[in-house]
Amino acid sequence: RNRALTDVFEPGSTVKPFTVAAALQSGKYTRDSTIDTSPGFIKVGTKTIPDPANYGVLDLGGIIEKSSQVGISKLALSMNEYDVWEMFSAVGMGQSTDIGFPGERNGFLPNHRRWKDIERVTFAYGYGLTVTPIQLASAYLTIASSGIKRQLSLIRNAKVEGKRVFDKRIAAD
């Protein structure tokens, strides 16, 4: 059993860079955009989502650096409700990697007809979906490959195909 291909988990904050990439791709934000995370929490419906501290105003990099739930929540709520889902899907979450290993799991990427606000924000910081370690590594490879999603292979020096899923400036940012 290859746990990198068969075990699924909720990725949590490890998906925040992809939510930020979705924000950049939406055109509403630039790398210098800021989000006010004061007073250190946000109310979404009846739920209170806190940060460990009041981080104040953060740029998009600061949201990732501080792993701000409030910053990511505000980003998610400001975008089209499917932007984050489309980014997660584009980088391969919730889908087979087609690596050819028996028993590979797809994980789970929910696709609601209508997203509740609390679902949007928790999804944007990695809850309500599941991925395999190889899917998450592949998603980060897309950032490292300047926005090109590469086909994975178990064969050394295999020729792999790639498809651009977001602009290289977004990957660099």
Side-chain angles (χ1 to χ4, degrees), residues 9 13 18 20 41 50 54 78 80 93 95 115 123-124 130 135 144 149-151 154 159 164 168-169:
F9 63 98
S13 293
F18 303 101
V20 169
F41 64 89
N54 181 359
S78 73
N80 176 290
M93 295 181 198
Q95 315 163 31
W115 290 77
F123 181 75
T130 59
Q135 286 173 336
K149 171 97 174 85
R150 304 233 184 247
Q151 175 61 44
L154 294 173
K159 187 164 181 112
R164 180 161 300 284
K168 64 183 174 183
R169 288 182 304 243

Side-chain angles (χ1 to χ4, degrees), residues 18 23 29 76-77 90 99-100 102 106 118 136 142 146 155 164 166 168:
F18 303 101
Y29 296 93
L77 290 172
I99 204 165
N106 290 345
I118 193 65
L136 190 58
T142 303
S146 300
I155 301 169
R164 180 161 300 284
F166 55 86
K168 64 183 174 183

